[in-house]
Amino acid sequence: MLSSRTIENKDRNKYHEATKHSAISVQIDPNYVDATTQPAAFKRYPKFFRRFPLELNNPLHRFLSLTSAITFQKQYRDGIHSLRVQPSAGALYPTEIYVQIRGINGMLDGIYHLEPDSRSIALIYELIDDGLEGYFSDDRPIKGCIFLVSCVYFRSSWKYKNRSLRYCFLDSGHHLGAIEAAACVSSYPYQLLFDFDRLALNDDLGFENKEFVAAVAIAGKAKDNKSVRKLRSPLPFVAATDYFEPNLFIEEGCKQTWVKNPEKQPIQVPKFPFESKRMLQAIQRRRSARKFHPSSIGLDDFLTVCNAMQQPISSENAAAFEIYAAVQRVTGMQSGIYQIGGGGNYCLKQGDFHDRAGYLCINQAIARDSAVVFFVVSDCRNYQVALQQAGLVGQRIYLAATYLNFGCSGIGAFFDDETQAFLETDLNVLYAIAIGNLFDRDRIN
Ligand SMILES: Cc1cc2nc3c(=O)[nH]c(=O)nc-3n(C[C@H](O)[C@H](O)[C@H](O)COP(=O)(O)O)c2cc1C
C-alpha cells in the first residue's frame, strides 16, 4: 500500500510524470508539425491603444527594450524568424511582457504591453488608485517598473503538446533572466515575485484560458504606506495568436503546479563576475550554439560559469533546484558527473560519458560534443517555480558563456527516466544546458 507521503509526492509530480520523454515516446510522437500552421508569434493590441516608440537614447526605454529585443533575423525553410535576447524552445516564444510604470517623469502611469517587433509599448490601462500591486501581499505602490511575464501556451503546445507545459515555464524563466540581465547592466535594483493572486490577475487582464501570468519582476521601490487596489475595471480579451486550440492538460497544469511559498527568505542580491559594457554586448550577441567543436574549455572559464549561475536569486522564494554537471572537456578536471554547489563541485562518478550524454539528450550532437552539460534537478514541490528558476539559471549560463566567448544551448528534450538514473538522483530532471567551444566560423566577435 502507498503511504500518504508517497501519494503526495506522486500527485505533485503528476505533470512531470505525464510529460516524460522516453525512447518509445519520441518514436510514437516525433513532434512533426506543418510549419505553415504556426500560430502568430506576436501579440498586438488593437490600433486604438496609444503606442510609444522605445527611444534607445532614453535610459528607461533602453532598459525596457533590452528585456525582449529582437537581435537576429534567421531564415528558416518556412520564412524569416525573429530571434530575441532570450532563447525559446523551438523558437516559438510563448512569453509576453507587460510592464506597469508608475511615478516616472515623462511617462503616463499605466500598464503597457511590450511589442518587440515594432519596438514600442502600447498603453493598455491607465492607473488611478489601482494597479498590479493590488495582487501582491505587499500592496504598497511601487515607483518604477513592474514586469509581468505571461505565457501564450498555444504557441508552444501547437508543436510540443503536453510537454509544452514545461517549456512555457522554462521560457518564462529565461525571460525573467533577460529582465535580470537588463536590470543589472542598467543598474536598476530588482526582485522576482512568484507569489501573488495570479488567478484574479489573469481574469482582470482579460487573458481568459489562452494566456496565463507566470511571474513578476519588480524594478522599483515601494513609495509610501498607502494600499493600491486591484484593477478597477477588467481589460478586454485580446487574442495573442491568430487561431487557438485548447489544451486542457496545460490549462489545468498551470493552475495545479503552483503552490504558495511556505517560507519567505530575505532578498539576496546576486553579484555577477562581469563587466557591464561587455555584459551588454553578451546580451545582444547571445545565440544558441547549433554545433560544438569537441575540444576543452579552460578551468577558469568553467568556474566563472558556475559562479554566475549559482548567484542568489533575488526573490523571497528559495531556490527550488540543484545542479549536476556532466563534465566532458574541461582542462585540468577529471571527466565525470559532478554535483555543483555547496561551496565546491563534488565528483560523484568519474568517466568519459560524452556519448552517453548525447544519447540521453535524444541523440543530439550538441550534448555529445559540448564541454559540459549542466542538469537542473528538483523535487518538484513547487514545480512551476522550479521550472522558472531552471530557465533563469539557463539564461545566466547562456550569458556567461557568451561573455566568455564560447557557445551554449538549452536542451529541453531528453529521456527523463534514463537521465535521472544516469545522474543517480531521486530528483527529477527539469532542464539540460550545454556549453562548449564554437567553431571559428560560428564565433561572433
Ligand atoms: C527551454 C528550451 C529548450 C530548448 N531545447 C533545445 C533542444 O532540445 N535542442 C536544441 O538544439 N535547442 C534547444 N533550445 C534552443 C532553441 O532552439 C533556441 O533558443 C531557438 O531556436 C532560438 O534561437 P536562439 O537561442 O539562437 O535565439 C532550447 C531552448 C530553450 C529555451
Side-chain angles (χ1 to χ4, degrees):
M1 211 172 97
L2 290 172
S3 70
S4 61
R5 201 189 138 119
T6 326
I7 290 168
E8 191 194 305
N9 281 342
K10 268 192 96 100
D11 201 42
R12 183 187 296 155
N13 293 343
K14 185 174 116 187
Y15 290 91
H16 190 76
E17 281 294 325
T19 53
K20 281 183 172 174
H21 277 332
S22 66
I24 292 174
S25 78
V26 297
Q27 280 178 36
I28 294 172
D29 186 0
N31 282 331
Y32 293 139
V33 277
D34 173 357
T36 60
T37 65
Q38 182 177 352
F42 293 103
K43 177 172 183 175
R44 279 190 193 88
Y45 274 80
K47 281 203 279 261
F48 57 79
F49 287 101
R50 286 173 66 188
R51 273 173 181 72
F52 302 85
L54 291 173
E55 315 279 4
L56 297 186
N57 53 0
N58 172 321
L60 176 70
H61 286 201
R62 201 172 49 235
F63 170 42
L64 298 181
S65 167
L66 213 50
T67 64
S68 309
I70 293 171
T71 46
F72 194 63
Q73 304 277 357
K74 190 165 179 178
Q75 179 78 49
Y76 286 89
R77 245 172 294 163
D78 58 309
I80 290 177
H81 285 234
S82 298
L83 307 186
R84 333 265 179 105
V85 283
Q86 82 280 13
S88 165
L92 299 175
Y93 304 103
T95 52
E96 294 284 333
I97 295 285
Y98 300 80
V99 57
Q100 175 180 294
I101 295 174
R102 188 193 289 284
I104 293 188
N105 272 344
M107 306 282 290
L108 281 170
D109 285 358
I111 301 174
Y112 298 78
H113 173 242
L114 216 148
E115 299 187 345
D117 56 336
S118 64
R119 286 212 207 113
S120 58
I121 46 176
L123 178 62
I124 57 170
Y125 189 89
E126 281 194 52
L127 305 178
I128 303 181
D129 57 345
D130 50 353
L132 298 180
E133 299 91 331
Y135 302 83
F136 307 160
S137 58
D138 180 354
D139 60 5
R140 291 174 299 158
I142 299 285
K143 182 174 184 294
C145 299
I146 301 177
F147 293 90
L148 195 77
V149 183
S150 75
C151 296
V152 176
Y153 78 77
F154 178 51
R155 287 193 194 133
S156 185
S157 65
W158 162 73
K159 177 168 184 182
Y160 295 119
K161 308 202 181 71
N162 289 356
R163 191 157 170 114
S164 68
L165 181 70
R166 300 182 185 199
Y167 297 158
C168 281
F169 291 120
L170 289 171
D171 275 10
S172 166
H174 273 285
H175 221 147
L176 287 173
I179 296 171
E180 170 177 84
C184 287
V185 295
S186 315
S187 305
Y188 282 99
Y190 71 94
Q191 60 167 290
L192 309 179
L193 210 65
F194 299 100
D195 273 356
F196 49 91
D197 191 350
R198 53 189 62 222
L199 295 182
L201 187 53
N202 231 65
D203 281 348
D204 290 351
L205 291 171
F207 289 169
E208 295 189 345
N209 59 334
K210 300 173 183 67
E211 189 173 343
F212 54 86
V213 287
V216 161
I218 298 176
K221 284 217 164 72
K223 218 168 45 167
D224 50 40
N225 283 330
K226 276 192 303 196
S227 283
V228 173
R229 67 171 169 126
K230 291 188 167 127
L231 302 190
R232 62 193 184 279
S233 56
L235 274 94
F237 168 72
V238 172
T241 50
D242 41 356
Y243 77 108
F244 173 74
E245 285 172 12
N247 178 320
L248 297 182
F249 172 86
I250 292 181
E251 289 180 22
E252 269 313 296
C254 290
K255 292 184 189 139
Q256 301 292 330
T257 55
W258 180 81
V259 293
K260 197 168 166 46
N261 183 17
E263 258 171 57
K264 285 185 180 178
Q265 65 166 18
I267 304 272
Q268 292 183 64
V269 180
K271 290 194 179 69
F272 295 106
F274 301 129
E275 191 258 311
S276 205
K277 208 164 153 199
R278 267 179 69 196
M279 187 61 182
L280 177 61
Q281 290 168 355
I283 293 172
Q284 289 159 334
R285 287 193 302 132
R286 184 217 63 77
R287 286 275 74 79
S288 293
R290 299 297 75 189
K291 207 173 176 6
F292 286 119
H293 187 282
S295 52
S296 294
I297 63 168
L299 180 60
D300 284 353
D301 286 344
F302 171 71
L303 294 176
T304 303
V305 175
C306 291
N307 176 355
M309 74 188 183
Q310 288 181 89
Q311 288 299 314
I313 294 178
S314 180
S315 165
E316 287 181 338
N317 276 70
F321 60 84
E322 290 177 23
I323 301 174
Y324 287 72
V327 173
Q328 311 184 147
R329 298 176 180 93
V330 177
T331 308
M333 252 178 113
Q334 185 74 49
S335 296
I337 307 303
Y338 286 73
Q339 186 160 13
I340 307 291
N345 301 326
Y346 299 99
C347 188
L348 303 172
K349 59 177 170 187
Q350 291 185 0
D352 179 0
F353 298 114
H354 65 266
D355 278 331
R356 186 77 188 146
Y359 162 75
L360 291 170
C361 294
I362 316 204
N363 298 310
Q364 298 194 63
I366 44 169
R368 185 196 61 209
D369 297 337
S370 64
V372 181
V373 186
F374 294 102
F375 294 95
V376 184
V377 300
S378 169
D379 65 6
C380 300
R381 227 174 293 177
N382 198 346
Y383 191 49
Q384 200 173 115
V385 172
L387 281 166
Q388 293 192 74
Q389 292 182 347
L392 177 82
V393 166
Q395 188 74 8
R396 289 175 172 186
I397 296 174
Y398 261 103
L399 291 175
T402 313
Y403 186 95
L404 297 167
N405 241 328
F406 44 83
C408 177
S409 181
I411 299 178
F414 44 83
F415 298 131
D416 288 86
D417 286 341
E418 286 186 83
T419 307
Q420 188 176 345
F422 167 69
L423 298 175
E424 296 177 17
T425 173
D426 292 339
L427 303 175
N428 289 306
V429 185
L430 302 187
Y431 196 22
I433 307 112
I435 60 169
N437 282 317
L438 293 170
F439 284 83
D440 283 343
R441 61 165 192 269
D442 295 333
R443 284 183 202 273
I444 315 165
N445 285 311

